[in-house]
Amino acid sequence: MIKEYKTIREIASPLMIVEHVEGVTYDELGEIELPDGELRRCKVLEVEGDRAVVQLFEAAQGINLAESKVRFLGHPQQLAVSGDMLGRVFNGMGMPIDGGPDILADDHKDINGLPMNPAARAYPAEFIQTGVSTIDGLNTLVRGQKLPIFSGSGLPHAALAAQIARQARVLGDNETFAVVFAAIGITFEESEYFINDFRRTGAIDRTVVFSNLANDPAVERIATPRMALTAAEYLAFEKDMQVLVILTDITNYAEALREVSAAKKEVPGRRGYPGYLYTDLATLYERAGRRQGKKGSITMIPILTMPEDDKTHPIPDLTGYITEGQIILSRELHRKGIVPPVDVLPSLSRLKDKGIGVGKTREDHAGTMNQLFAAYSRGKDAKELMTILGEAALSDDDKLFAKFADEFEKRYVSQGNTTNRSIEETLNIGWELLSILPRRELKRIKPEFIEKYLPETK
Amino acid sequence: MGIITKVSGPLVVAEGLAEANVSDVVRVGSQHLIGEILNMTGDRASIQVYEETSGLGPGAEVVTTGMPMSVELGPGMLDNIYDGIQRPLPEMRALTGDSITRGTDVPALNRDKLWDFSPVAKPGDELGSGDVLGTVQETSAILHKIMVPPGLKGTVKSVESGEHKVTDVIAVLTDARGVDHELTMIQRWPVRIARPYERKYVPSRPMNSGQRIIDTLFPIAKGGTAAVPGPFGSGKTVVQHQLAKWSDVDIVIYIGCGERGNEMTDVLMEFPELKDPRNGEPLMKRTVLIANTSDMPVAAREASIYTGITIAEYFRDMGYDVAVLADSTSRWAEALREMSGRLEEMPGEEGYPAYLASRLAQFYERAGVVECLGTDARQGSVTAIGAVSPPGGDISEPVSQATMRIVKVFWALDSSLAYARHFPAINWLTSYSLYIDTLRPWYTEQFGERYMQNRERAMHILQEEAELQEIVRLVGQDALSPEDRLTMETAKMIREDFLQQNAFVDEDAYSSYLKQFRLLDMVLKYDVLCRDALSRGIDMNGLFAIDAREKIGRAKMADPNAFEPVYDAIEAQMKAEIEELSAGGEEQ
């Protein structure tokens, strides 16, 4: 028997205090019934004696302390899951908003999920070809990885993420793909960009969209990525699908978290974000992965805009400590017209080493990758020196490296948003660029690969 | 029995627990979640719960076990992976599936497995604490010594042999008052209390890690402490993994504290395949993994560090050299901060509790070289190496600073090195080792004085390079004298041909002391020969372009078992080429 309480004591959005409750438990989902019958949802953050501190998921507007009723539902927040979710659009709380029928649930899942037993994980090792050279060649994505895009306001992260969603495939494999897309506090236009792109390519039929737009309640954003990941887990581990999850924008998520934390008067950590931001983000990101004995996988691409392009801001910083690398976009390259403007040097894929090489990509991949990184780094240093002291101050080798850096940006990085390069093409372009350099500088590549792959220099 | 009055995340407050002690382990709610009492006020206890508290509310019961947070010590820990409160993860998986569900109660040591116990003690022997009763071949790599628990001594009344479960009585000891004590293969020990030893020594032997920048430039002693701070992406975890793989210790305890799940999986999959370069045994046979990944409950993260170091001390007590690798102590500190915040304690710096520094110091102080309990005066050591993840890579924050005050070795990882793919990205200018002087005698005895002389020469050249680079940045390379240009060239060789080491290439992942010595020696010989040639007026560009240079660049990839003839040949070629240039130069 579910009890109704008319004992709301206090509302200070997004928090509400209900008194004289009985049997209420931590993290329980609640429903508030307004005098006009409208239902809003909330969850329990703290119970002390007969007093419950509750977090609203929607606006507090219109809630009347005397007349509104609160019911606690006896379970944490859940999502109704089913294979029919594909092709549908939901709001941030998991309700269909595309005008279609309700989902006939196969199951109801707790959106918080459960931590995955590390002994049950399967190590991500299957190469995903995204068709983007800077990712495939240098920061290889593998199935089950979480690889965020660190971007800034006004940078084309959406174009890159859509390109990845469109082109990503595992070589020689015909398994069922699905995309779960969570819009977290982004604008209608940005969200439509993705949805239109999915529609144009026909991907929409295998896409589940959870949409919390900028004008939707901020607190709802805390639930939105969890809804998306719950759907992804269902599709991956119960329906054997290869799921790509795109979460955009994590910065909005963290700000919603900060809002709730501030309302609870918690001791703030860096920049006002709660001390548990790391743990909280980890409970999202760590839901990516593969499990032993399961066919499906969850590969995650969270997108976050770095405030002031500052990588040491708590949100990108803590994200970088959890995710398996990062793809960083650069404003400088964007201004130069490089598309996609991937800043290669600070970008990283931690899982690349297991996903490349013989039988996965090509034998020369690891060596050329390291060589390209090192050469580009040296080339950039040389160019910097050149701007201060002029070209004459460079040694002959350094001049070649500077030339290499320019060509690398033009030909390797800047491929446009529609070019889909195979891994072979990417590797071969790498070799062409390396042929600019003196051969004795190619120390990171095995001599036999240099013999085999280096194009003849004229 | 107590009744819950408040639930706020992992913090639970319960009343009616007058009979419980501070630090007791309690069982919370109908699911028997595991928790630990932090504070008591009257009969009100503040409890940190090691599992997710969703669904818990006022009115639920709390029962104390009357015991502090303890670990089970005995055969079955090696080749295993535990969560932060020592529950075996593979067995939990068998019980509850791929996800970690709550209230699962699995004993740390398998109760059914039979171990072949060979007695060492005989009836009538007088044994004290730490004396060995018998041994069990726990894995192919490690002989597990079953010892008399601390605090107990007496006469052996009986001792068993043959196949036994860990819970079987394997010996009976009669103490001075005539009371019989039945001993099993299990010892229990509270994790927050250091295990006793006879006496502590100053560390004097290096821990060989096979990593050139560590062994040659910034060595750590067995029984020492080290910190690896660095921003994300700088390779902390790879450094920790390399140490776990190649360190010449008997036992490795790897604590994944608030880190990525896939990293633990990586260790779990890779270590059984890798062979110890010293005895050919799979590395997993000497390894205990403790995993509290970042999505697992935060309170157990705080416990995981203590669980790990207590297990390490137990193996140390057998006379083994043990390395504890904690990745990352920053996550542990954050767990501490989170609980402190929920307890509404007055925060110190950046919200961390005021006791952060003392807790960190207590952890690292449990490392050391000791003479173990027991009459045979065996020695064991615990080496503690902690990764630190400073926010934004800025080590002025409290965890890094508190750690730096305690540890003796500091391997500072640098993101700019990582961007240039210089790995391990340990910065040679900001890192330090305070063990150089205590270890010098050992190096000198093993390899002669030249080893340490080379080290100093290399450090000097690298230091000089940093200064010269300042000048180059201002006025360009042409302003440097040929000698300075040579210094920069040699420094580049030290960096690229010696310090850089690829963890993913078999030939390079592990470098023996001898290989390290020969490699650095070769680079420095080149420096000496060139310097001599320059003094005779030979053109530097010719010297820098000799063919042997490319071979030096590849020398680190030489076969670990047959590198010496290769190095001899390169050195001979280098010498010949420089002589030839010199001869040509003088003729003109």
Side-chain angles (χ1 to χ4, degrees):
Chain A
M1 178 55 209
I2 291 176
K3 280 190 189 164
E4 279 187 352
Y5 300 99
K6 287 178 88 173
T7 47
I8 303 177
R9 178 79 207 167
E10 183 185 321
I11 292 186
S13 185
L15 297 190
M16 174 173 89
I17 293 171
V18 189
E19 291 193 326
H20 307 299
V21 296
E22 253 177 62
V24 172
T25 62
Y26 173 69
D27 208 29
E28 193 174 340
L29 184 67
E31 263 179 4
I32 308 159
E33 191 183 330
L34 270 52
D36 62 0
E38 186 190 337
L39 286 180
R40 292 194 192 161
R41 295 210 273 179
C42 58
K43 77 166 184 183
V44 178
L45 289 183
E46 185 179 310
V47 262
E48 183 162 13
D50 63 354
R51 186 169 168 273
V53 180
V54 176
Q55 177 199 322
L56 300 172
F57 282 122
E58 286 141 286
Q61 211 169 28
I63 300 183
N64 178 306
L65 297 200
E67 296 301 322
S68 304
K69 288 180 268 190
V70 182
R71 284 187 291 272
F72 293 97
L73 304 178
H75 58 76
Q77 203 172 3
Q78 290 176 330
L79 176 71
V81 289
S82 141
D84 300 335
M85 298 176 92
L86 289 170
R88 300 291 305 272
V89 181
F90 302 86
N91 70 7
M93 299 293 287
M95 303 291 174
I97 50 168
D98 53 1
D102 279 353
I103 293 294
L104 275 175
D106 276 355
D107 199 357
H108 289 85
K109 301 263 182 204
D110 178 352
I111 64 158
N112 293 312
L114 285 168
M116 212 191 288
N117 189 330
R121 277 181 190 270
Y123 198 77
E126 289 161 297
F127 169 68
I128 296 180
Q129 181 177 297
T130 64
V132 180
S133 290
T134 44
I135 298 179
D136 292 351
L138 303 175
N139 299 292
T140 316
L141 178 70
V142 294
R143 226 178 225 181
Q145 185 174 12
K146 38 193 177 294
L147 187 65
I149 299 176
F150 285 10
S151 180
S153 315
L155 292 182
H157 45 261
L160 178 60
Q163 185 177 12
I164 295 170
R166 197 166 58 227
Q167 299 178 352
R169 65 191 193 89
V170 170
L171 296 178
D173 189 284
N174 295 315
E175 286 175 67
T176 39
F177 251 107
V179 177
V180 173
F181 175 73
I184 308 164
I186 59 172
T187 59
F188 169 78
E189 284 170 43
E190 204 171 344
S191 167
E192 275 304 288
Y193 176 83
F194 278 98
I195 293 171
N196 279 333
D197 200 76
F198 297 148
R199 209 170 270 145
R200 193 167 54 77
T201 56
I204 192 78
D205 294 334
R206 47 184 181 88
T207 301
V208 188
V209 176
F210 290 87
S211 172
N212 169 289
L213 299 183
N215 60 345
D216 289 328
V219 280
E220 204 180 288
R221 277 164 214 163
I222 295 174
T224 309
R226 297 192 161 80
M227 294 282 170
L229 287 163
T230 307
E233 279 174 1
Y234 174 77
L235 295 174
F237 302 126
E238 293 183 32
K239 295 281 170 200
D240 291 338
M241 290 181 178
Q242 311 302 334
V243 184
L244 179 71
V245 179
I246 299 175
L247 305 174
T248 176
D249 179 321
I250 292 293
T251 305
N252 296 334
Y253 170 81
E255 275 169 6
L257 207 63
R258 176 167 69 175
E259 193 178 324
V260 175
S261 167
K264 281 158 76 180
K265 300 191 173 61
E266 289 171 334
V267 180
R270 282 174 73 210
R271 299 226 185 176
Y273 291 96
Y276 50 79
L277 182 61
Y278 177 84
T279 312
D280 191 279
L281 288 174
T283 56
L284 298 182
Y285 297 143
E286 280 289 321
R287 289 170 81 171
R290 291 166 65 224
R291 297 181 184 178
Q292 288 172 29
K294 295 273 164 68
K295 274 201 200 132
S297 66
I298 299 179
T299 308
M300 193 190 293
I301 301 189
I303 298 173
L304 56 91
T305 45
M306 299 182 280
E308 296 165 45
D309 294 353
D310 176 10
K311 197 159 68 89
T312 65
H313 184 281
I315 301 169
D317 188 51
L318 296 178
T319 297
Y321 276 120
I322 307 163
T323 53
E324 284 136 352
Q326 65 276 334
I327 303 291
I328 297 187
L329 301 188
S330 145
R331 203 167 290 279
E332 191 200 333
L333 292 180
H334 181 57
R335 278 199 211 106
K336 277 197 212 166
I338 307 281
V339 183
V342 175
D343 196 353
V344 167
L345 296 180
S347 296
L348 170 73
S349 162
R350 289 165 191 274
L351 303 183
K352 60 180 186 294
D353 298 291
K354 300 271 159 67
I356 62 176
V358 184
K360 302 202 160 153
T361 53
R362 209 166 76 181
E363 53 186 359
D364 56 322
H365 194 157
T368 48
M369 176 176 74
N370 285 327
Q371 192 69 62
L372 286 169
F373 271 123
Y376 182 52
S377 170
R378 185 161 164 200
K380 278 188 77 163
D381 284 348
K383 280 178 64 183
E384 207 174 298
L385 206 62
M386 201 159 83
T387 39
I388 305 171
L389 301 167
E391 201 173 336
L394 295 188
S395 68
D396 291 345
D397 277 2
D398 279 346
K399 279 176 199 150
L400 289 175
F401 275 100
K403 182 180 170 217
F404 168 86
D406 280 334
E407 289 292 310
F408 177 81
E409 284 173 10
K410 261 184 243 151
R411 289 166 58 192
Y412 197 91
V413 183
S414 191
Q415 66 177 88
N417 280 129
T418 47
T419 313
N420 188 355
R421 284 185 189 156
S422 74
I423 182 66
E424 245 86 51
E425 286 173 69
T426 292
L427 289 172
N428 291 343
I429 295 171
W431 278 108
E432 279 168 34
L433 291 167
L434 289 175
S435 69
I436 296 173
L437 302 174
R439 206 171 146 150
R440 72 187 131 75
E441 288 290 343
L442 306 182
K443 280 189 218 170
R444 299 186 182 223
I445 309 175
K446 287 191 181 165
E448 60 260 38
F449 296 153
I450 299 184
E451 281 311 316
K452 190 166 165 189
Y453 295 105
L454 189 70
E456 286 305 308
T457 36
K458 282 135 218 148
Chain B
M1 195 179 71
I3 299 292
I4 295 181
T5 60
K6 176 183 175 180
V7 184
S8 168
L11 178 76
V12 165
V13 179
E15 283 178 349
L17 280 169
E19 83 277 22
N21 313 305
V22 173
S23 302
D24 272 4
V25 170
V26 293
R27 292 312 190 97
V28 180
S30 56
Q31 286 179 298
H32 301 288
L33 308 182
I34 299 167
E36 183 181 4
I37 297 182
L38 296 177
N39 295 327
M40 303 270 319
T41 325
D43 68 346
R44 270 166 64 93
S46 300
I47 298 161
Q48 71 171 340
V49 180
Y50 290 127
E51 299 179 84
E52 174 59 50
T53 51
S54 168
L56 209 58
E61 290 173 359
V62 176
V63 185
T64 174
T65 59
M67 294 258 296
M69 185 70 206
S70 304
V71 285
E72 282 188 357
L73 302 165
M77 292 190 292
L78 292 168
D79 198 5
N80 207 342
I81 175 167
Y82 291 111
D83 76 353
I85 47 176
Q86 216 205 2
R87 291 182 298 185
L89 289 170
E91 288 173 40
M92 283 178 77
R93 184 180 175 217
L95 271 175
T96 65
D98 291 348
S99 303
I100 294 176
T101 43
R102 297 184 289 164
T104 318
D105 205 357
V106 193
L109 301 177
N110 190 316
R111 292 293 189 263
D112 300 324
K113 189 161 180 183
L114 291 170
W115 299 96
D116 194 4
F117 176 77
S118 342
V120 172
K122 304 179 297 295
D125 284 359
E126 290 284 339
L127 296 186
S129 299
D131 279 336
V132 178
L133 289 164
T135 58
V136 164
Q137 191 70 43
E138 183 175 351
T139 66
S140 44
I142 297 296
L143 187 70
H144 193 114
K145 297 172 187 164
I146 308 295
M147 298 167 289
V148 177
L152 195 63
K153 60 180 179 183
T155 317
V156 178
K157 188 175 173 188
S158 66
V159 62
E160 304 290 322
S161 80
E163 302 236 304
H164 286 281
K165 294 178 182 173
V166 281
T167 45
D168 291 349
V169 174
I170 44 98
V172 176
L173 208 63
T174 313
D175 68 14
R177 286 174 296 148
V179 180
D180 283 354
H181 296 270
E182 292 190 334
L183 300 178
T184 65
M185 285 191 249
I186 302 181
Q187 288 191 23
R188 260 175 246 278
W189 192 263
V191 295
R192 293 180 205 280
I193 297 172
R195 283 175 64 86
Y197 48 81
E198 206 62 53
R199 65 176 62 81
K200 216 168 195 173
Y201 296 104
V202 175
S204 61
R205 287 170 305 146
M207 186 178 86
N208 176 210
S209 68
Q211 309 306 302
R212 291 187 288 267
I213 186 157
I214 293 178
D215 288 346
T216 298
L217 294 192
F218 309 108
I220 179 172
K222 278 185 183 146
T225 52
V228 196
F232 64 83
S234 57
K236 278 187 303 298
T237 302
V238 177
V239 169
Q240 292 268 33
H241 280 198
Q242 290 304 96
L243 291 169
K245 283 175 193 168
W246 309 121
S247 292
D248 66 336
V249 291
D250 302 303
I251 309 274
V252 171
I253 316 286
Y254 192 95
I255 310 168
C257 177
E259 289 291 306
R260 305 174 184 89
N262 278 330
E263 282 171 4
M264 297 315 292
T265 313
D266 186 22
V267 176
L268 272 178
M269 306 216 335
E270 196 179 8
F271 276 34
E273 308 290 321
L274 289 169
K275 300 269 187 284
D276 187 329
R278 280 159 291 265
N279 59 16
E281 291 290 339
L283 286 172
M284 200 60 204
K285 300 284 177 207
R286 62 164 198 179
T287 308
V288 183
L289 298 175
I290 314 274
N292 177 284
T293 58
S294 55
D295 55 340
M296 282 155 81
V298 69
R301 194 162 305 159
E302 196 263 337
S304 63
I305 292 270
Y306 295 105
T307 301
I309 195 115
T310 310
I311 294 174
E313 285 174 337
Y314 173 70
F315 282 111
R316 172 204 69 189
D317 291 347
M318 296 180 203
Y320 288 124
D321 291 321
V322 187
V324 176
L325 301 158
D327 186 11
S328 142
T329 55
S330 294
R331 305 298 161 227
W332 169 83
E334 281 165 12
L336 214 60
R337 173 169 72 182
E338 191 171 335
M339 289 315 295
S340 164
R342 293 197 192 262
L343 287 168
E344 290 164 8
E345 292 173 340
M346 183 68 80
E349 246 179 299
E350 289 192 18
Y352 286 103
Y355 46 79
L356 170 71
S358 61
R359 292 276 173 93
L360 265 172
Q362 277 165 11
F363 166 72
Y364 282 109
E365 197 52 26
R366 286 172 79 168
V369 182
V370 304
E371 184 185 317
C372 313
L373 293 182
T375 43
D376 60 353
R378 56 186 184 266
Q379 280 195 11
S381 70
V382 171
T383 310
I385 299 165
V388 183
S389 318
D394 173 11
I395 58 166
S396 66
E397 55 92 39
V399 183
S400 304
Q401 287 301 312
T403 307
M404 283 173 79
R405 289 216 304 274
I406 311 157
V407 298
K408 296 283 191 294
V409 180
F410 194 70
W411 296 313
L413 295 177
D414 191 323
S415 53
S416 61
L417 290 175
Y419 294 166
R421 296 321 189 246
H422 174 110
F423 287 114
I426 297 174
N427 186 314
W428 48 90
L429 297 174
T430 51
S431 301
Y432 59 79
S433 166
L434 301 182
Y435 291 116
I436 295 292
D437 289 329
T438 45
L439 295 179
R440 187 187 304 274
W442 186 90
Y443 279 100
T444 306
E445 191 189 319
Q446 299 284 325
F447 308 103
E449 286 189 351
R450 203 174 162 96
Y451 200 102
M452 278 292 161
Q453 283 166 356
N454 278 352
R455 175 194 182 268
E456 271 138 39
R457 179 78 188 127
M459 287 298 284
H460 183 75
I461 290 172
L462 290 169
Q463 184 64 48
E464 226 174 309
E465 183 201 25
E467 287 158 20
L468 291 172
Q469 259 165 356
E470 298 279 307
I471 301 173
V472 171
R473 243 174 249 134
L474 288 174
V475 292
Q477 225 170 19
D478 294 340
L480 296 183
S481 68
E483 281 76 17
D484 285 345
R485 286 287 298 277
L486 175 62
T487 303
M488 293 202 59
E489 199 68 15
T490 310
K492 182 175 161 232
M493 288 168 73
I494 295 173
R495 286 187 283 114
E496 293 181 1
D497 304 340
F498 179 72
L499 295 182
Q500 276 182 19
Q501 191 166 356
N502 192 331
F504 302 100
V505 173
D506 294 341
E507 294 83 8
D508 200 26
Y510 173 84
S511 212
S512 65
Y513 277 122
L514 190 61
K515 191 172 170 185
Q516 301 189 20
F517 171 69
R518 289 292 310 267
L519 194 53
L520 183 58
D521 203 49
M522 182 155 59
V523 173
L524 294 177
K525 272 182 187 151
Y526 170 81
D527 183 73
V528 169
L529 290 171
C530 286
R531 223 163 272 278
D532 177 57
L534 286 178
S535 72
R536 282 181 280 122
I538 308 301
D539 175 47
M540 62 179 177
N541 290 321
L543 292 169
F544 295 168
I546 59 170
D547 290 345
R549 278 290 298 276
E550 195 188 332
K551 291 196 175 151
I552 299 174
R554 296 189 186 282
K556 58 186 170 188
M557 296 298 177
D559 183 347
N561 300 313
F563 63 89
E564 285 193 273
V566 180
Y567 288 11
D568 290 341
I570 300 174
E571 283 185 3
Q573 183 188 349
M574 166 174 99
K575 212 166 164 188
E577 281 175 335
I578 294 174
E579 269 166 16
E580 196 180 322
L581 277 173
S582 302
E586 274 159 16
E587 273 165 30
Q588 281 165 11

